Amino acid sequence: MALRRHVSIFLVAVFVITSVLSFSFDSKNNKAQAAVKPKVFTMFSADASVTPHPDLFSSKIGQEITKRTGVRLKVEYLVGLDQATKVSLMLASGDLPDFVYGSGEHQQFIRAGAVVPLEDYINKYGKYSKQIYSDSDFKKLTLTDGHIYFLSYNRNEVSPSTKGDYAFWTQIEALKEAGYPTFKYWEDYVPFIKNYVKKHPTTDGAKTIGLTITTEGARFYMITNPPKFLMGSQDDGAFIVNQKTYEAKMFAMSSGAYKFYKSLNSLWQEGILDKEMFVQSHDQYLAKIAQGRVVSTFGRNFHLTNTWNSLRQQGKFSKAPAVPFPLVFKGTKRSRYLMVSTIGTRDGISISKKCKDPVAAFKFLDALCQVDIQKLMYWGIKGQDYTVENGKMTVSQKQMEMRRDPVYQKKQGIGYWEIFPHAYLKLQDGNYRRPEFDPEIAYRDYTKEEKEVLDAYKFKSFMQFYDPPEQSKYGYAWEISVPSDRQDITVGNQKRDDLSRKYIPQLVMAPKGRFDDLWKRYVNDMNKTNPKAAEEFYTQQIKWRLDKWY
């Protein structure tokens, strides 16, 4: 019995020890697993410049960022184009993700007090963000309430290799046929379009379109913006700002707007303007360009990139409207389509007040500012997407072609990071932030048609089509947010937007002899919206910036 008792005690002891050891091992194992398990944050993005990615952090670059930061983002993209409604609904529900990016409606989050001030986090944890954002940048990112709410992605980079931004983008083949003319004035440009369409009424069996502009939803500003550029102004939203007195004046009712829409009306009557311009979707607009049917479009570089890539893949790049002309009206001395501006102050990724761990969230944003992660986001994975030769990052022609492939972009995660915090133009090690910014890489990547264009105009870069950029001391008027208690301005802005959407299509499509009567009604209705209040407010805000920033 004694032996059996000793054996039982021994077995019980073994069981207890085994159980304790097993529990201890499992506990340590779980802790180890927990230690490597990434922290998951949620995010809403209203970025309209990219096609939504189904799961960005499952891409190769996303996975690599998770390895290095310990964070995995679950990103919900805006579906459709109505940013204002989406942001309003999110705020009304109170159901906010950890990070929010509202693009043009981002200030709604700030005005509602729904996002976290960052200045204390920057001071305490901003090791890497302080390396790529200067004290001057932080001063400009500080809003009138004294707080910083985002690390702006908008660095207003002017690279010697880029193709610019806004322009009247013109078809290469049409320019070649006309002997590569140089255009400065709208008045000289219009006959060129008309002549080409008359000579070539169809393209591959479809009607040739002389001029088209995207107007769907939030992109309606593409039809309201041209007059100010044609009058020699920079992009100051609804205003032209006197660069000596800094007085803001609304241009929607100006003689320049009258002249532009009257001209479009004539082109409409002659069948040169796209007849579907006010009813087509943005995708339909892009499809027409990708078909090689469009001679000219007013637009932004990033709107057109995929259509250029498509025409390149089809071997029809000569049909691409890919040459920028920053046109002005006769009598205007210079264009200001391209400016060297201050850091963007309107929007960026913010941490919402619903985020349960804002410190970790900020540390993630800060970690993205590390030079190695900047390279991941904007160059890709070393050895796959780029190589390094004597410290200089470079990409082969094959890698550039892979970068243009939408399937590869999605798999790799290339091209989805522009709204995240990033360095200005170059990284800390002297390499350009993006391969496309490197003039050597950019020139090598041009098509033979683009190189023929540059040779014909005796240029080395498409930037030379623009007047040299000037410095904008106050940034842009469109970045300025109107406080929610200034309903005299917000209501007026909404009324003017509604009137523009009502009248501009009517003006452009007006029957012969009806344009001037419609214009009078338009101006009369616009003047009832108290534009003076907005002009005074924006003038005051521009002068506040000049006073506080310098």
Side-chain angles (χ1 to χ4, degrees), residues 314-365:
Q314 296 173 58
K316 295 165 59 177
F317 196 77
S318 64
K319 295 286 189 183
V323 180
F325 283 103
L327 303 173
V328 292
F329 287 135
K330 281 186 176 177
T332 305
K333 288 183 179 178
R334 60 158 293 155
S335 66
R336 291 184 176 80
Y337 285 64
L338 206 59
M339 298 292 288
V340 178
S341 182
T342 59
I343 190 168
T345 58
R346 185 191 68 174
D347 57 283
I349 296 173
S350 292
I351 301 169
S352 86
K353 287 189 174 174
K354 292 289 183 179
C355 178
K356 292 180 179 174
D357 193 348
V359 172
F362 177 78
K363 286 181 176 178
F364 170 67
L365 291 179

Side-chain angles (χ1 to χ4, degrees), residues 206-232:
K207 182 176 168 52
T208 301
I209 297 167
L211 175 66
T212 187
I213 299 174
T214 187
T215 62
E216 186 192 30
R219 296 186 179 90
F220 194 78
Y221 73 100
M222 299 310 300
I223 190 70
T224 58
N225 267 354
K228 66 185 168 198
F229 286 116
L230 290 164
M231 288 188 281

